[in-house]
Amino acid sequence: MPSLIAPTKEGSEELFGMAYISRITSGGLISAGTLNDISKTSIHNNLLNQITGILCYGNGYFFQYVEGNEQALTNLKNELLVDSRHQEMQILYYDRIMQRSFEKWALQSWVLQKGMVKEVALKNLLPFRPDNWQGDDWKDFLALLKEYAVDHEHEFARPLRYNTLGLTLTRLVSMHQAFLFIQAMLILLLIVNWWLLNSTSF
């Protein structure tokens, strides 16, 4: 798999790349518009600062790769460190790069579980747990993400329109439907039993 990382210059400024992972906070999860807000704000700011990149959300985790000049990425990193919508931020990479990998996009965002589960290579990465990645696993994931983004570029024309809490609840319910059904039946049986006991005592 070709490497996305190597040093060069863009015009008179050196290009840098930054990759990080983080976990969504309870506050970010409760807010229905978290993903939409992040996408909208990031696109606006990144256009101003000539930052390009891609953001992936899944299973309560963020993975983001951005590229631009050193000062722009340093400022972005400082902003991310104090963003209350995520926590446990880990910088996986921050160094010079050969060229932009996502030059067309100020930021493209994707919810991993929403549209990629039919892709064999990406499906093998589920459940999405970037905190368990080892070594250069993030580079392999980034290469797959870029390939997917290029092949599905038309799907990136629209901004995110996802409810963070809704996605999480949908996932939890789908994972535990059988458990929830059994619990509901047990509760129903307890209610019926209680009613029978109380009705025969009069």
Side-chain angles (χ1 to χ4, degrees):
M1 184 174 296
S3 174
L4 299 174
I5 311 300
T8 194
K9 291 186 178 181
E10 182 182 68
S12 60
E13 293 185 320
E14 288 185 314
L15 271 176
F16 278 72
M18 177 176 71
Y20 75 87
I21 61 171
S22 62
R23 189 163 61 87
I24 196 167
T25 59
S26 56
L29 182 62
I30 291 172
S31 176
T34 294
L35 299 182
N36 300 324
D37 293 342
I38 290 173
S39 182
K40 183 179 179 180
T41 303
S42 297
I43 289 173
H44 177 265
N45 293 338
N46 289 354
L47 280 170
L48 292 176
N49 296 301
Q50 296 184 312
I51 294 174
T52 55
I54 194 162
L55 171 68
C56 183
Y57 172 82
N59 201 30
Y61 290 88
F62 293 104
F63 168 75
Q64 185 170 23
Y65 173 79
V66 287
E67 50 208 11
N69 69 57
E70 185 175 13
Q71 187 59 58
L73 292 195
T74 297
N75 293 341
L76 176 60
K77 180 181 70 173
N78 292 337
E79 292 172 4
L80 289 168
L81 287 169
V82 296
D83 192 327
S84 62
R85 294 170 297 192
H86 70 161
Q87 60 189 346
E88 300 174 14
M89 181 177 172
Q90 299 178 44
I91 304 295
L92 304 178
Y93 179 84
Y94 189 98
D95 207 342
R96 295 175 180 84
I97 58 175
M98 178 169 44
Q99 61 186 21
R100 291 181 186 267
S101 297
F102 300 94
E103 61 273 7
K104 293 183 180 180
W105 306 317
L107 181 75
Q108 286 303 334
S109 308
W110 200 258
V111 175
L112 187 59
Q113 299 101 319
K114 188 69 177 180
M116 297 179 175
V117 293
K118 294 181 180 179
E119 300 293 322
V120 176
L122 286 167
K123 186 176 180 179
N124 290 335
L125 297 171
L126 298 177
F128 183 54
R129 287 298 303 270
D131 57 321
N132 289 334
W133 287 347
Q134 301 293 323
D136 289 338
D137 286 352
W138 70 271
K139 292 183 182 179
D140 295 336
F141 177 78
L142 181 62
L144 288 171
L145 201 59
K146 180 183 179 182
E147 181 181 349
Y148 183 90
V150 170
D151 291 343
H152 297 77
E153 187 172 355
H154 63 285
E155 298 178 28
F156 288 89
R158 300 181 302 274
L160 278 172
R161 286 291 181 269
Y162 300 122
N163 180 317
T164 314
L165 181 59
L167 282 170
T168 302
L169 289 177
T170 299
R171 180 175 179 275
L172 288 174
V173 170
S174 64
M175 287 175 60
H176 304 291
Q177 281 180 336
F179 173 79
L180 292 172
F181 177 76
I182 292 171
Q183 292 297 309
M185 292 301 296
L186 288 174
I187 291 172
L188 180 61
L189 288 173
L190 288 172
I191 292 173
V192 171
N193 187 53
W194 176 86
W195 182 81
L196 289 173
L197 288 174
N198 283 275
S199 62
T200 56
S201 62
F202 292 102

